[in-house]
Amino acid sequence: MRHVSAGSGNRTETMLSVSDLSLELATYDGTVQVLDNINLAVGRRETIGVVGETGCGKSVLAKSVLDLLPRAIARYRRGSIRWKGENLLSATRKRLRQVRGTEIGMVFQDPMTFFDPLYTAGSYMMEAIGHRERVKGDGGSRARRKAEAIDLLGRLGLTEPDRVFDSYPHQLSGGMRQRVLIAAAIAGSPELIIADEPTTALDVTVQAQILHLLKEIVETRDTSILLISHDLGVIASMCERIVVMYAGTIVETGTKRQLLSRPAHPYTIGLISAVPRLGYPQKQVKGIAGHIPNLLNPPPGCRFAPRCHKATALCRKVKPELATFSGGRQVACHHPEPFE
Ligand SMILES: Nc1ncnc2c1ncn2[C@@H]1O[C@H](COP(=O)(O)OP(=O)(O)OP(=O)(O)O)[C@@H](O)[C@H]1O
Ligand SMILES: [Mg+2]
């Protein structure tokens, strides 16, 4: 069986490549098997989407790339995380600090974990721009940096960017904080942006504005994006390639067209049927019955088997491998829907 990472393959230069990554978290309750054999790659100027229900390990995956999980509890069992060929799992703290912000920018799901209440929104932006200028040698005056920061806040749909610039985190709404966080990530001009639910706290018009800006950045700045969301609609509007995660595993990957028109994995089919469509009565939205399994003690075979209407004894016993098919689609299922 061929093992190919979800993502760019050989089409473009690979920027980020996660290979065979398995991660456990040591908690008071026991060991949580939070990521199991994750493979994905993001090419230059590519936007890859990771989608899955709450608790399936999307944020843990995002944080693992920049070593942002608490070191006391995170245990990497296997695998590598390569950034332009360099394995970040063995990088020094100094090197990781260099990578964060200027090479890889991160938009956190919960902005409050990022902000210190003693610093204004503007100070984060000034720091990001200043850091970029030091690294890239394109330094300018403080006034020019401030003008750049305020312009960016305005482009993210903040109506009073000057006021936001001078505000402390507690003076801003959740949606405003989220946009400041996005602005700070963009301001550093990183080569890759990892955006974890970047628009979840925002209303749909602002969401559209931000997604548009992210697209523009990919096109004009040679940037790649790893976009993480539980919202298949957001992922489909932004990404040509999609990775579907379930309970710490990748269950299916493919192009947007492959996945949306002929999904193969029963979980992907469930995710698609759970998206409400305009004009359809609510009762036609089916969703997926049941819950993600407890990762302290995941099911021995396919992690989706307890919720799957197609599950057999084989599924409950033997874990399906992520197999690669024509067109680069990958599926981890003993009984996929016909898709070729
Ligand atoms: N610091 C931590 N300590 C212990 N368990 C954790 C920690 N962080 C995450 N987990 C567990 O890891 C699993 C994956 O969590 P994660 O936050 O990655 O999910 P997610 O897919 O991002 O969900 P959501 O869509 O709600 O953001 C969950 O079972 C969660 O309880
Ligand atoms: Mg999350």
Side-chain angles (χ1 to χ4, degrees):
M1 180 178 310
R2 280 198 302 147
H3 285 272
V4 179
S5 293
S8 61
N10 293 325
R11 289 181 299 119
T12 57
E13 178 193 353
T14 300
M15 302 299 283
L16 177 74
S17 123
V18 176
S19 308
D20 297 330
L21 186 72
S22 293
L23 169 69
E24 295 177 351
L25 298 178
T27 69
Y28 285 119
D29 297 328
T31 304
V32 184
Q33 297 176 40
V34 73
L35 296 179
D36 183 27
N37 205 28
I38 299 292
N39 286 279
L40 66 86
V42 187
R44 189 177 282 285
R45 296 190 69 192
E46 191 168 37
T47 304
I48 294 273
V50 177
V51 67
E53 283 168 296
T54 179
C56 72
K58 305 182 296 297
S59 295
V60 165
L61 174 61
K63 287 179 185 162
S64 68
V65 172
L66 287 174
D67 192 27
L68 295 169
L69 292 163
R71 285 202 169 181
I73 67 165
R75 310 216 198 298
Y76 293 91
R77 307 303 307 177
R78 263 178 349 124
S80 64
I81 299 174
R82 291 192 182 276
W83 169 242
K84 295 190 284 182
E86 174 186 2
N87 190 358
L88 294 182
L89 285 185
S90 49
T92 60
R93 283 175 195 237
K94 186 172 168 220
R95 173 68 187 130
L96 284 164
R97 272 197 304 276
Q98 265 172 4
V99 172
R100 284 181 210 136
T102 36
E103 296 182 34
I104 304 180
M106 174 102 185
V107 178
F108 293 92
Q109 181 169 13
D110 174 8
M112 279 320 263
T113 58
F114 173 80
F115 289 118
D116 183 322
L118 300 177
Y119 292 91
T120 60
S123 59
Y124 286 98
M125 306 230 21
M126 295 294 270
E127 189 183 305
I129 296 169
H131 192 46
R132 181 200 74 210
E133 289 177 343
R134 280 193 298 281
V135 173
K136 299 194 174 157
D138 60 349
S141 66
R142 190 178 189 288
R144 201 203 57 72
R145 284 203 289 275
K146 183 171 174 182
E148 181 183 332
I150 289 176
D151 174 64
L152 193 50
L153 291 171
R155 288 170 71 200
L156 285 159
L158 290 156
T159 45
E160 292 178 276
D162 296 79
R163 186 179 73 76
V164 172
F165 184 88
D166 288 321
S167 298
Y168 290 91
H170 71 273
Q171 295 172 314
L172 300 170
S173 72
M176 286 169 153
R177 283 196 291 263
Q178 199 165 19
R179 278 176 281 175
V180 172
L181 190 55
I182 295 169
I186 293 172
S189 276
E191 292 163 273
L192 169 71
I193 298 173
I194 300 179
D196 190 359
E197 306 279 3
T199 58
T200 303
L202 306 170
D203 61 53
V204 283
T205 44
V206 177
Q207 175 170 303
Q209 201 171 357
I210 288 173
L211 296 179
H212 181 76
L213 182 65
L214 288 176
K215 270 191 190 156
E216 196 182 294
I217 284 168
V218 170
E219 279 156 24
T220 57
R221 292 197 193 170
D222 219 15
T223 306
S224 315
I225 299 183
L226 181 64
L227 180 66
I228 292 171
S229 180
H230 67 280
D231 186 334
L232 190 55
V234 166
I235 294 288
S237 74
M238 289 289 291
C239 308
E240 263 316 301
R241 293 192 66 85
I242 301 177
V243 175
V244 182
M245 271 187 84
Y246 181 76
T249 62
I250 291 179
V251 294
E252 184 164 6
T253 79
T255 61
K256 172 167 68 179
R257 196 183 155 81
Q258 286 170 335
L259 258 59
L260 297 187
S261 62
R262 301 201 79 178
H265 198 287
Y267 180 64
T268 314
I269 295 168
L271 274 188
I272 293 170
S273 75
V275 177
R277 275 178 290 170
L278 282 178
Y280 282 73
Q282 198 62 28
K283 66 176 185 235
Q284 286 190 12
V285 177
K286 292 198 203 87
I288 311 163
H291 302 283
I292 285 216
N294 186 341
L295 296 181
L296 278 171
N297 192 11
C302 172
R303 290 187 175 186
F304 187 59
R307 294 170 79 183
C308 183
H309 69 282
K310 294 179 94 177
T312 58
L314 174 69
C315 307
R316 284 183 273 275
K317 214 160 90 188
V318 180
K319 193 184 136 194
E321 294 257 13
L322 190 66
T324 303
F325 297 90
S326 63
R329 184 202 297 251
Q330 297 174 299
V331 189
C333 181
H334 293 303
H335 311 293
E337 285 298 315
F339 57 88
E340 285 190 299

